[in-house]
Every structure is written in structure tokens, then in C-alpha cells.
Amino acid sequence: MCGIVCLVIIAIIFALSCGRIYYSPSELLQTLVHPQSNPVAANVIFNIRLPRIIGALLVGASLAMAGCSFQNVFHNPLVSPDILGVSYGAAGGAAMAILLGYGLGGTQALAFIGGIIAVDLTVALARIINQKGTLILVLAGIVISGFMQALIGLLKYIADPDSQLPSIVYWQLGSLAKVDFSNIIAILPLLIIGTIVLIVLRWHLTVLSLGDQQAQLEGINIGLERLFIIIASTFLTAGTVCLSGNVGWVGLVIPHIARLLVGDNAQRTLPLSAFLGALFLLIVDTLARSLSVGEIPLSILTGFIGTPLFVYILIKKKVRLN
């Protein structure tokens, strides 16, 4: 864990230095210690790069923890916030808020409600199908995600192409370009509540991953605790969608990497997933704003990086799908 923390600190320093304008370590240190010595550099570092870095750390950690929790609760290695429909549901809620002309608070509220509705529909559909197996929940999530994507498509069709449509596209592709400290403060309560609940229940996550029968033997109230974990994970997912839009692969791949490093015990896997997710998305965001003149959407880079990583994990772990 100490090694991962050191890597995160190094990545933060690297992210502060790199971008369209590069600042050497000496320039960076000088600006951090004496901002008045270089007002332009101070503005770039403190008002543009620092909020993005904090946003990337929060989004990456939150998505990784949500993915880890979902995978344990549903005993499914393929479950992630994306597959269960939470991300698309939250994006649909955010798109609806944009069409209605709501501010940040209204967008957050509708994004959270959309995420809750999506995951409820996914679980309900899996129960209606009434077949056991890990793939049933995945298929139900794909169905609900498809419906939410169709809803987002409809909202894009009726949106104003000059003012509303670009904002909706922003939510779909994922970006931290518009993040500032006010955005971060606004969604911080959602992330804090979700994180606290998952950290408190992380031992129960390990038991729940062993199956309902084992959880009952341990005296765990399966229905109630599963509900708390789903709500907490949805808090995290909806909060990140409010901040950065949809960012794929983080919640799916990072928990598997954490398990490769420390095993299946959620008491260790959950916090490690948070640090790995924060490190991963910080690196991706730094690349997104540094590789080209125009900023690359986050989901494009996470897809290119996450796909080969997940293929390697499938081969390495021989993950069972049923």
C-alpha cells in the first residue's frame, strides 16, 4: 500500500508539471512556494490543474470502490457500474436536468435518481427472469443500459444543438475539463457518504462474496446490507457522473488488479482499489490533456488501456463466468 501511495504522489507532481505548458520541477516548486513570483504559472497550477487532479483522484477512487463492491455483492466478476446501468442511468438523469435547465444541484439530484432507478430496474429484471447464474444479472444490466442509452439518444435528439447538446455529449464521453473547486465541493458529500458506508461494511463484503448461505451463517442481514452497499455504490457512481460524465472500465478492471495483488479479502481489496483507481485515472487524465492539442475524452483512453488489461486479467486469473 505504501508503494501505491508513493506512486500517487509522484503522479500528482507529474500531472502538475505536464500539459500544454510544461513546468520544470524547479519552476513548479517555486510557484508552489511563492505563487506571486509567477502569476501565470500560479493560475494554471492552482486554478486549472489542481482541481482536475483532485477530481481525477476522486472519480478514479470512487468508481473503483463501486466496482469492487458490486462484484462482491453480486458474486460476479463482470459486474461494474457501467454494466448494472448506474452510469447510464445517472447520465440520463443529468441529460434530463440539462434539458430542463437545472443548475448543478438539480443535475446532481437527477443523476442520483437516474442511477438508483437504473440499478433497481436491473435487479428487478433479473428477478423476473427467475434464473440463477452470474450471467443473468449481466444480461439484465445490458438491457437496462441499452434502454438508458436509447433515452439519452432521444434527449440528444430533442436537445438544442448549440447549447444543450454539447453538454450532454460531455457527460457521455467523460471529461474533467470543466471541473473546478465548486464542482468538487458540491459532489463531495455524496462521495464521503458512499465511501464511509463501504469502508464500514468492507468485512461484510468479503462474506457476501462467498454466497448467501455463508452470509446467513455469519448472521448477516443479506437484504438490508446489500441494499446499503448498492445505495452507497450508486452514491459514488452518480457523484462521479456529476463531476466527469461517464468514464468506463475503471470500475471493472481496477478491482481485478487489486485482487491480483492482495487476494479476495475485501478488507484489503477495497482500499487498494481506491488508490489504484485514483492513480489510474490521474494518469489517464494527464495523458488526455497532454497528448494532443485538443483534449481526448477520458472514456476513449480508458477503453484503449482497459481492454488489453482486462484481457490479460481474464487469461491470468481464468475468471469463471458462471
Side-chain angles (χ1 to χ4, degrees), residues 124-156:
L125 181 58
R127 289 179 176 175
I128 291 172
I129 295 173
N130 197 25
Q131 293 185 27
K132 295 183 178 180
T134 57
L135 285 179
I136 295 301
L137 187 64
V138 174
L139 293 174
I142 290 172
V143 171
I144 299 303
S145 293
F147 173 77
M148 291 298 175
Q149 290 182 70
L151 176 62
I152 294 171
L154 175 63
L155 295 175
K156 288 169 64 178

Side-chain angles (χ1 to χ4, degrees), residues 232-269:
S233 300
T234 303
F235 264 61
L236 293 175
T237 306
T240 60
V241 172
C242 291
L243 194 63
S244 65
N246 276 345
V247 180
W249 288 97
V250 179
L252 176 62
V253 175
I254 298 302
H256 285 287
I257 296 176
R259 292 188 190 99
L260 281 175
L261 296 175
V262 297
D264 293 330
N265 190 335
Q267 294 187 77
R268 292 179 294 174
T269 304

Side-chain angles (χ1 to χ4, degrees), residues 90-111:
M96 182 68 72
I98 291 170
L99 285 185
L100 295 175
Y102 289 176
L104 181 61
T107 302
Q108 288 179 335
L110 283 188

Side-chain angles (χ1 to χ4, degrees), residues 164-223:
Q164 296 172 328
L165 185 58
S167 297
I168 296 175
V169 172
Y170 161 83
W171 291 109
Q172 281 192 285
L173 294 179
S175 173
L176 291 165
K178 298 181 181 179
V179 170
D180 56 30
F181 286 115
S182 63
N183 301 142
I184 294 172
I185 292 171
I187 62 97
L188 205 53
L190 287 175
L191 304 187
I192 291 174
I193 293 171
T195 299
I196 290 174
V197 172
L198 294 183
I199 292 297
V200 170
L201 296 177
R202 68 186 186 278
W203 178 79
H204 291 180
L205 275 172
T206 303
V207 180
L208 287 171
S209 69
L210 300 176
D212 291 353
Q213 185 175 2
Q214 183 64 37
Q216 288 175 344
L217 292 175
E218 295 288 341
I220 292 178
N221 187 330
I222 298 172

